[in-house]
Amino acid sequence: MAREETIRYHESYYSSHKLFEEGWLQKPDEEVNRLVSFLSGRSNLKVLDIGCGVGRNAIPIARELKLNGVHVDCYDVLESAIELLHGYAEQFDVQGSIFGRCIDMDAIEIEPDSYDAILSVSVLEHSSSLQGVNRLLEQIVRGTKVGGANRLTISTDRHVTACDTGEVIDTRVETPMSKEQVTEMLQRYYEGWLVDRLSLVPYKEDLEYGGRLVTWSCVDVSFFARRVV
Ligand SMILES: C[S@@+](CC[C@H](N)C(=O)[O-])C[C@H]1O[C@@H](n2cnc3c(N)ncnc32)[C@H](O)[C@@H]1O
């Protein structure tokens, strides 16, 4: 049920909003600049974007690091997102750096010590289970080279109520998690890393959801860390 809802929402959103023009696709994740600066002195870079969508983050990374030589693996469960990603990669002249693949994050296997950077922005909560989230975090940590970096955001404590009646509405996220739970997991998996950011970003907005006006609130756990050993 939650999986179908995630697919329905993103298919509809990507087909009705253009990259870098509208809604949350208007601009890249706020830590993309930090990631690019961090990688900019190096060459022959390998980057992995898990749950890349249509390339909101992968395309700016590829554009900024193109002259360094960069290979960006882009994974998403939606075939339509990967098709759009390849179209945008051509439009922004980075088709030689973007490698899209349709795959479920629960099935991803990452070769150890293989990426200079791995990012996953607003995706892990869509894993099918807590076990899946743990498995993927383990893969991400192991898959990052010494000297590499990770950028993650994870949506937690989601709460949605109807504006007219105050009724609580089920938003059907696959793996609902609390900010405390995610903070604890990150501290555990990233022991020994240099954590540049582990912050809680509250979000609240009145928006239309399932044909109703609702108040949507959640807390995004925002994380950036570098592997030093
Ligand atoms: C909120 S969007 C974020 C997209 C992109 N990271 C960004 O920041 O623009 C979540 C993305 O995760 C993808 N996704 C959801 N469940 C997934 C799964 N099980 N495996 C891989 N990708 C998934 C969706 O298709 C969607 O593109």
Side-chain angles (χ1 to χ4, degrees):
M1 277 272 272
R3 173 60 53 91
E4 281 100 69
E5 175 62 18
T6 297
I7 287 175
R8 191 205 57 75
Y9 168 78
H10 287 97
E11 271 186 337
S12 149
Y13 200 88
Y14 294 147
S15 64
S16 57
H17 295 76
K18 286 208 175 89
L19 185 61
F20 305 133
E21 287 184 18
E22 297 166 277
W24 56 263
L25 288 178
Q26 207 166 26
K27 48 186 182 41
D29 168 61
E30 61 182 349
E31 292 287 355
V32 161
N33 282 343
R34 189 204 301 249
L35 196 61
V36 166
S37 315
F38 172 73
L39 296 171
S40 62
R42 312 172 190 200
S43 52
N44 298 322
L45 292 155
K46 269 195 81 185
V47 175
L48 172 61
D49 185 355
I50 300 174
C52 59
V54 295
R56 181 174 74 103
N57 305 312
I59 286 183
I61 290 170
R63 284 183 84 178
E64 291 296 326
L65 297 169
K66 194 173 156 180
L67 295 179
N68 302 52
V70 65
H71 174 120
V72 189
D73 282 323
C74 297
Y75 295 166
D76 201 283
V77 74
L78 278 189
E79 192 120 30
S80 56
I82 297 297
E83 267 171 34
L84 285 165
L85 166 78
H86 284 139
Y88 287 128
E90 277 197 21
Q91 183 183 331
F92 292 100
D93 200 21
V94 288
Q95 63 273 35
S97 305
I98 294 281
F99 299 86
R101 181 177 168 204
C102 183
I103 181 170
D104 189 326
M105 76 179 114
D106 292 326
I108 290 174
E109 297 286 342
I110 307 172
E111 196 185 318
D113 303 307
S114 56
Y115 286 99
D116 297 284
I118 301 181
L119 65 152
S120 189
V121 175
S122 303
V123 177
L124 266 83
E125 61 274 20
H126 298 299
S127 174
S128 61
S129 66
L130 199 54
Q131 195 188 1
V133 177
N134 277 283
R135 195 196 75 91
L136 191 54
L137 277 174
E138 211 174 287
Q139 294 267 331
I140 292 172
V141 166
R142 268 196 328 169
T144 308
K145 292 178 188 171
V146 175
N150 286 176
R151 163 65 178 156
L152 307 173
T153 75
I154 302 171
S155 173
T156 67
D157 292 339
R158 194 182 280 193
H159 186 69
V160 180
T161 52
C163 287
D164 49 0
T165 61
E167 177 198 345
V168 176
I169 293 176
D170 181 8
T171 61
R172 305 196 197 110
V173 70
E174 289 85 337
T175 301
M177 292 176 280
S178 69
K179 53 186 175 301
E180 292 81 8
Q181 194 176 12
V182 168
T183 303
E184 184 278 322
M185 278 161 79
L186 292 173
Q187 284 165 341
R188 185 157 38 87
Y189 281 106
Y190 285 89
E191 207 185 328
W193 287 50
L194 269 182
V195 176
D196 293 305
R197 179 168 184 183
L198 175 49
S199 59
L200 304 178
V201 184
Y203 174 83
K204 191 169 188 177
E205 193 188 350
D206 285 349
L207 47 83
E208 205 191 295
Y209 180 76
R212 300 176 78 172
L213 194 61
V214 302
T215 301
W216 182 292
S217 71
C218 63
V219 176
D220 286 325
V221 179
S222 179
F223 183 76
F224 191 106
R226 288 171 282 151
R227 183 174 173 194
V228 286
V229 283

